[in-house]
Amino acid sequence: MGLNRDAQGEAGAAVTPAGAHGGHRGGLFGGGGPTFLTTKLDFIINWGRRNSLWPMPFGTACCAIEMMASAASDYDLARFGMERMSFSPRQADVLICAGRVPYKLAPVLRRIWDQMSQPKWAVSMGACASSGGIFDAYSMVQGIDTIIPVDVYIPGCPPRPEALIYGLMMIQEKIRGETMDRRVELRAEDPYAAGAPRATPEEIAGLTGPFGNSTHQNQGSGRGPKDRVHRPADRIV
Amino acid sequence: MATKTVEFQVTRNPEAGMDFRPAAGPIAPVEPDLDSEHMLINIGPQHPATHGVLRLVCELDGETVVRVIPHIGYLHSSFEKLGEYRHWNQIVPLTDRMDYLAPLIYNCAFAMAVEKLMGIEVTERCKVVRVICMEMDRIFSHLLWLGTTAIDIGAFTPFLYAFQQREKIYRLHEAYTGARITTSATRIGGMMADLPEGWTDGLKAFLDDFPKTLDEIDRLLTTNAIHIGRTQGVGAISAEDAVNYGFTGPNLRASGVPYDVRKDRPYYDYETYDFEVPIGEHGDCYDRYLVRMEEMRQSVRILRQALERLPDGPINVEDPHISLPDKTDCMSDMESMIHHFKLITDGIPAPPGDCYFPVEGSKGELGMYLVSDGGPKPVRWRVRPPSFVNLSVIPKLAEGHMVSDLIVINASLDIVLGEIDR
Amino acid sequence: MSDQQKNPFEIVERGPAFSDRLEVAPPPAGGAEDAHPSVAALRERFPDAVRRAEVSAGDQHVVYVDPDANLEVLGFLKTDDAHHYDLLVDVTAVDYGGGLPLQVVYQLWSIPHRRALRVKCELPLERLHIRSVTGLWNSANWLEREVFDLFGITFEGHPDLRRILMPENYAEGHPLRKDFPLRGRFSRAEQTRRALSQDPKDYYIPEELEVGGAPSLPEALRPRTLEDGSEG
Ligand code: SF4
């Protein structure tokens, strides 16, 4: 196992190859760049991390049932080192947000994400969590990526257990590519951003605009008059 | 969370120098008097034992629950508002996302209600197929309830057994509708398709296999001392109260009230099937468990009879105003294609009026209330949510029990948050 | 079905009209509405309060009742032995839009008599008040709260009338009204901001805070307890 091959093997799957930035090599301990020691350590740490992920199941609706099915006998998530569903956010690595997230639940989701300790990843399972799905209505968050950063989106309504397992394997793949010298950059978190939306208002407007079929959903149901009526009892502030 | 600071009265004895000793006589309250102290704890909304995103705020006296205040709405997805913007047929996909534990019951209930409003009589085959779908999903839903409740009580094995059987129903769902949970199987005036070939054999195989597993779970739980100790006498409610609080379904029957929509307001010839409605007598968690176990057995009986009488013939009504033309025709025949296009874009108009149609869902009386003003979309689509009403009783049931009993009571009500919050 | 033999193209040409079958049969003359024993009894007992009765969807009886008399009429229906509607199945409301009055709908079912009845009260928009029936049926508790939340109808005498599905400080109005837009009144960014900027104290209702902030607690500790308690 040569040094070169190892370094490439580790960096091959990375989002950004570790050597692409840095470039300056400062001996065995690295002056910020990868060295023999750090890549070996990376390999061991990442191997350990990716094979003992503890998911935090944030299951709300139908997708949660599929998540339960993946943890049960037939699909058996435990094969991937994830048998310990961690119901406490402080002991969890991966947040699996499975199901619809209404605005009333948004602060809860954000708080759970803030309570998880680094390193942490987020999986958005299902159409509703990723984009609001068919629920383009007044009470629904249009994609949890407006609230927390998301690493993997799993499409489907609901995604099959295989899809969830595949999504979690993509997280494992992502971990494989992480290197120590980029740790600070990858794990940077602004403590003052806790509890605030992840996206800026412009970003939210861009992400949540109605598209496809839902743009046609503006007409009301009936044949009756559709003018607005003034209602004295309305509690608008 | 009210905590009390305990004050030690330490008197300084000047003669003793630096040696501090408490003065003789009674030390002022070392054990604070906790009788009047109540503590507030918050369970949920993200908690594994609340079966969804339910939040319970409990006021405790020691470990005894004095008061529970449930907070719901953490999964309010505005189904009813969305329904007002959709054609009748387009609402069907919404219904199975409402109760994802028994999707086909919701599909069928909605289609039946619309058919009642429009005055459509579905074909004989369709009726039996819908009965099969509904009874299959009653088992499907009760199995999930059984598994998760067993976990709450401390038994993990029934969960795995139950999910193994559920996986078989998943496969039947998938073979018929193409989806595991979000089935969307009904259409106004029929089903999306006829049963695929060999599907009934799959169901028969399931029916042969399933009672064995059920018996195994039965052996694990019914006479289990821990299970009995945790559930008997917990969360009991009298028959009178149960009716007054609006209980329906297995919860009501566990209290001894023989009200079952299938028997009392029969639809789809349920009166001609030979089955019994189990009734409990104490109205506690154990009776609710027994009633549901027996209901699964009765569902197996109904399914066997339904398979036997499944008639041949068309599954959709032959009315060009309602049923879509055959897909093959649409591809080769101009008229059929235009017809298809018209039906999809304009929808099916319903006569003005309103209609309430109840069916026996897995959680209780599931009613669909539809109001139409003559257009192809409803003015109001209201779902009478059985578990919403069932859950509203929890403050009464849990009063005076321990916190751990509260979890069992909550589990025994068999709630599904998707339908409570809608 | 005479249409069946015709060319489907012709039918389609006619557009989305009702077929003959879809037309609602006119209610049979001779007071079919009164065929229901409870309707007849109500007419006799409360001649002023019963506004009209109708039969919908073939066999479902509906009685329109004066909203000021809802408690008396429903109380009679529940307690009288000949009717005995002991199960209040549902309480809901209907908004037709266009300035029409809101309807409060009670679905009743009598377990001993196996009989159903629907009672409706029409509320003009300027006066969305009605008396609560929680005193008669406990099941009305949450159902009325839901109607209050989604339609803004006030139930007088309800023990605990606050929002149930929407957050307590929801400021956009009552979502199931016809004049409420599907996606809410605020922009998505504003909705997100509002959702996330909630004070932890908003999670609790005054009753709970009373327990949480018991007076025996030192003043300095009290705010902390409230925040701690809000963690899930
Ligand atoms: S994506 Fe589909 S299955 Fe998942 S929560 Fe949303 S509606 Fe349910």
Side-chain angles (χ1 to χ4, degrees):
Chain A
M1 237 195 233
L3 164 70
N4 247 349
R5 218 184 93 209
D6 242 7
Q8 274 192 355
E10 290 318 299
V15 190
T16 331
H21 65 115
H24 53 288
R25 292 172 186 244
L28 195 58
F29 297 100
T35 68
F36 173 75
L37 192 66
T38 56
T39 47
K40 275 289 173 223
L41 263 179
D42 279 342
F43 177 76
I44 291 164
I45 291 172
N46 290 344
W47 174 81
R49 266 186 191 160
R50 72 170 186 265
N51 288 314
S52 63
L53 283 176
W54 284 5
M56 155 85 214
F58 187 82
T60 59
C62 352
C63 283
I65 306 297
E66 280 300 65
M67 188 167 62
M68 275 163 80
S70 354
S73 24
D74 268 43
Y75 290 93
D76 199 8
L77 259 185
R79 291 176 295 163
F80 301 87
M82 297 173 202
E83 71 262 60
R84 190 188 177 276
M85 286 281 178
S86 170
F87 287 99
S88 148
R90 302 203 192 267
Q91 279 85 38
D93 303 310
V94 191
L95 174 76
I96 306 179
C97 179
R100 327 189 262 271
V101 182
Y103 282 115
K104 197 171 176 180
L105 198 61
V108 180
L109 174 65
R110 178 73 216 192
R111 180 174 282 226
I112 285 180
W113 175 251
D114 287 336
Q115 281 174 340
M116 284 169 64
S117 51
Q118 292 280 16
K120 57 185 176 184
W121 296 268
V123 175
S124 154
M125 179 184 182
C128 291
S130 306
S131 72
I134 55 174
F135 299 98
D136 190 3
Y138 58 91
S139 66
M140 297 293 293
V141 173
Q142 301 296 304
I144 59 166
D145 45 4
T146 56
I147 296 169
I148 61 169
V150 175
D151 291 278
V152 171
Y153 300 86
I154 307 175
C157 183
R160 299 177 55 93
E162 290 96 327
L164 175 63
I165 291 171
Y166 182 59
L168 289 168
M169 283 167 69
M170 283 170 79
I171 290 270
Q172 292 184 329
E173 206 51 41
K174 194 166 178 179
I175 296 172
R176 244 159 74 93
E178 287 197 359
T179 59
M180 264 205 299
D181 56 328
R182 291 191 62 215
R183 195 189 60 216
V184 180
E185 174 197 337
L186 284 174
R187 303 270 153 254
E189 229 186 348
D190 178 8
Y192 295 104
R198 184 203 65 82
T200 59
E202 295 75 46
E203 233 178 311
I204 294 178
L207 282 171
T208 59
F211 64 97
N213 261 344
S214 51
T215 47
H216 303 302
Q217 281 176 12
N218 291 320
Q219 313 107 12
S221 58
R223 300 172 158 179
K226 295 190 185 67
D227 317 328
R228 260 206 198 170
V229 196
H230 174 64
R231 305 221 158 151
D234 251 5
R235 294 207 313 188
I236 302 294
V237 288
Chain B
M1 252 180 277
T3 47
K4 201 170 194 174
T5 41
V6 185
E7 284 172 32
F8 290 91
Q9 266 184 3
V10 184
T11 355
R12 187 183 283 235
N13 187 353
E15 278 103 273
M18 294 298 289
D19 191 9
F20 296 120
R21 269 165 210 279
I27 302 170
V30 175
E31 275 289 315
D33 178 21
L34 286 174
D35 283 356
S36 59
E37 274 308 292
H38 283 184
M39 192 166 52
L40 193 71
I41 65 164
N42 176 54
I43 307 176
Q46 173 56 34
H47 190 278
T50 52
H51 294 216
V53 280
L54 166 68
R55 179 166 158 245
L56 301 168
V57 178
C58 321
E59 185 181 337
L60 303 182
D61 179 2
E63 214 188 322
T64 313
V65 177
V66 180
R67 191 166 51 155
V68 185
I69 303 177
H71 293 257
I72 60 171
Y74 289 94
L75 198 54
H76 178 54
S77 321
S78 44
F79 280 99
E80 289 172 0
K81 185 87 177 172
L82 278 169
E84 293 170 11
Y85 291 78
R86 279 164 159 69
H87 292 161
W88 299 106
N89 262 330
Q90 292 170 336
I91 295 178
V92 173
L94 287 177
T95 55
D96 47 35
R97 282 152 180 88
M98 193 177 277
D99 182 350
Y100 30 84
L101 305 184
L104 282 171
I105 298 187
Y106 272 62
N107 291 165
C108 293
F110 178 76
M112 279 182 222
V114 181
E115 282 149 13
K116 171 96 184 157
L117 179 68
M118 296 188 182
I120 300 169
E121 184 72 22
V122 293
T123 60
E124 280 306 311
R125 183 175 172 83
C126 180
K127 279 185 189 172
V128 180
V129 168
R130 283 190 184 169
V131 167
I132 290 177
C133 286
M134 286 194 284
E135 293 306 321
M136 191 170 77
D137 270 30
R138 195 182 313 282
I139 297 177
F140 190 58
S141 165
H142 284 357
L143 274 179
L144 187 115
W145 166 82
L146 186 60
T148 49
T149 307
I151 287 191
D152 284 347
I153 294 172
F156 194 66
T157 321
F159 170 78
L160 294 177
Y161 284 12
F163 256 80
Q164 205 183 11
Q165 293 302 317
R166 264 177 72 91
E167 205 56 54
K168 289 181 183 151
I169 302 186
Y170 273 134
R171 261 168 231 150
L172 289 171
H173 276 174
E174 199 175 352
Y176 182 20
T177 69
R180 283 160 57 90
I181 295 181
T182 45
T183 48
S184 308
T186 56
R187 298 289 180 270
I188 311 306
M191 305 296 276
M192 52 162 260
D194 206 340
L195 294 176
E197 225 167 279
W199 192 84
T200 45
D201 298 334
L203 183 59
K204 269 189 202 120
F206 168 76
L207 291 181
D208 290 340
D209 189 39
F210 169 66
K212 287 182 213 145
T213 314
L214 195 60
D215 287 343
E216 267 175 61
I217 300 178
D218 193 70
R219 272 206 299 282
L220 283 176
L221 288 178
T222 307
T223 51
N224 183 324
I226 300 174
H227 181 237
I228 289 177
R230 288 292 304 272
T231 53
Q232 273 188 3
V234 172
I237 185 166
S238 71
E240 212 171 285
D241 279 349
V243 174
N244 197 330
Y245 275 92
F247 258 4
T248 43
N251 293 334
L252 178 67
R253 294 194 283 275
S255 293
V257 184
Y259 172 56
D260 185 321
V261 185
R262 290 174 293 179
K263 291 273 189 198
D264 288 63
R265 312 169 83 165
Y267 47 91
Y268 285 177
D269 311 328
Y270 260 113
E271 65 272 26
T272 61
Y273 289 90
D274 179 22
F275 71 105
E276 268 135 47
V277 177
I279 306 289
E281 49 181 317
H282 305 103
D284 55 4
C285 294
Y286 187 69
D287 277 16
R288 282 177 218 136
Y289 157 81
L290 287 182
V291 165
R292 291 208 177 88
M293 290 297 269
E294 187 54 35
E295 271 194 8
M296 281 193 264
R297 299 211 170 85
Q298 297 299 332
S299 288
V300 171
R301 268 178 81 187
I302 300 175
L303 279 171
R304 288 225 171 89
Q305 294 168 40
L307 278 179
E308 233 160 64
R309 67 165 77 168
L310 184 67
D312 288 331
I315 195 145
N316 290 339
V317 287
E318 285 181 11
D319 183 342
H321 285 290
I322 295 158
S323 299
L324 289 176
D326 196 54
K327 191 73 188 165
T328 347
D329 286 351
C330 290
M331 293 304 179
S332 55
D333 177 25
M334 185 60 153
E335 274 133 49
S336 302
M337 200 189 81
I338 296 176
H339 182 196
H340 188 280
F341 178 76
K342 275 286 209 185
L343 266 183
I344 296 282
T345 48
D346 290 345
I348 311 165
D354 60 349
C355 157
Y356 176 79
F357 192 87
V359 304
E360 181 70 27
S362 58
K363 323 268 183 311
E365 172 170 344
L366 161 66
M368 294 279 176
Y369 179 56
L370 304 169
V371 183
S372 158
D373 61 356
K377 298 172 180 175
V379 170
R380 173 102 168 92
W381 165 45
R382 155 80 179 169
V383 179
R384 189 268 173 189
S387 32
F388 179 86
V389 185
N390 289 352
L391 180 68
S392 67
V393 194
I394 203 167
K396 177 176 167 55
L397 292 182
E399 224 168 74
H401 285 293
M402 299 284 165
V403 188
S404 49
D405 292 337
L406 171 66
I407 302 299
V408 179
I409 292 169
N410 180 29
S412 78
L413 291 180
D414 190 12
I415 53 168
V416 48
L417 264 297
E419 172 231 271
I420 290 176
D421 294 345
R422 278 156 296 134
Chain C
M1 229 22 274
S2 58
D3 281 346
Q4 227 162 295
Q5 278 74 39
K6 280 193 208 154
N7 182 350
F9 195 68
E10 280 171 30
I11 303 163
V12 168
E13 274 287 85
R14 289 209 319 252
F18 302 135
S19 70
D20 334 327
R21 191 193 37 71
L22 279 174
E23 248 147 55
V24 214
E33 311 92 74
D34 286 354
H36 195 287
S38 307
V39 178
L42 278 183
R43 273 204 202 279
E44 196 172 303
R45 176 97 193 234
F46 302 97
D48 301 332
V50 178
R51 291 193 172 157
R52 62 181 196 276
E54 61 182 38
V55 182
S56 91
D59 54 358
Q60 305 190 347
H61 290 262
V62 190
V63 193
Y64 287 79
V65 169
D66 186 354
D68 291 328
N70 72 325
L71 211 52
E72 289 77 21
V73 170
L74 291 170
F76 166 74
L77 286 174
K78 186 193 172 197
T79 45
D80 195 273
D81 276 343
H83 308 291
H84 202 66
Y85 289 93
D86 45 359
L87 188 64
L88 176 70
V89 179
D90 197 6
V91 179
T92 185
V94 182
D95 185 0
Y96 283 90
L100 293 172
L102 259 67
Q103 293 179 346
V104 179
V105 186
Y106 301 92
Q107 314 272 7
L108 307 180
W109 174 255
S110 157
I111 294 178
H113 298 294
R114 297 194 178 183
R115 213 184 279 148
L117 184 64
R118 191 178 310 145
V119 178
K120 286 191 180 184
C121 298
E122 289 186 321
L123 299 179
L125 290 178
E126 321 69 66
R127 215 178 62 83
L128 296 177
H129 293 279
I130 194 164
R131 276 177 296 163
S132 162
V133 296
T134 36
L136 295 170
W137 293 279
N138 283 317
S139 54
N141 188 335
W142 278 23
L143 293 167
E144 285 183 351
R145 274 177 69 188
E146 191 191 330
V147 173
F148 165 73
D149 185 357
L150 301 180
F151 287 92
I153 296 172
T154 314
F155 289 87
E156 290 153 11
H158 190 284
D160 180 23
L161 196 65
R162 47 190 172 87
R163 283 193 185 263
I164 186 166
L165 295 178
M166 306 309 293
E168 190 58 29
N169 54 1
Y170 189 66
E172 293 175 56
H174 300 286
L176 274 187
R177 295 272 194 84
K178 280 285 179 221
D179 52 355
F180 187 90
L182 177 61
R183 296 189 184 82
R185 294 192 206 262
F186 298 151
S187 72
R188 288 295 188 197
E190 172 66 9
Q191 285 172 345
T192 313
R193 191 192 67 74
R194 275 175 182 259
L196 285 181
S197 63
Q198 277 184 20
D199 194 329
K201 271 185 222 158
D202 293 345
Y203 293 119
Y204 290 91
I205 59 173
E207 269 174 87
E208 296 165 348
L209 287 177
E210 221 169 87
V211 180
S216 64
L217 213 63
E219 196 57 45
L221 270 181
R222 228 177 286 172
R224 223 190 73 209
T225 350
L226 299 186
E227 272 185 40
D228 278 357
S230 69
E231 281 187 12

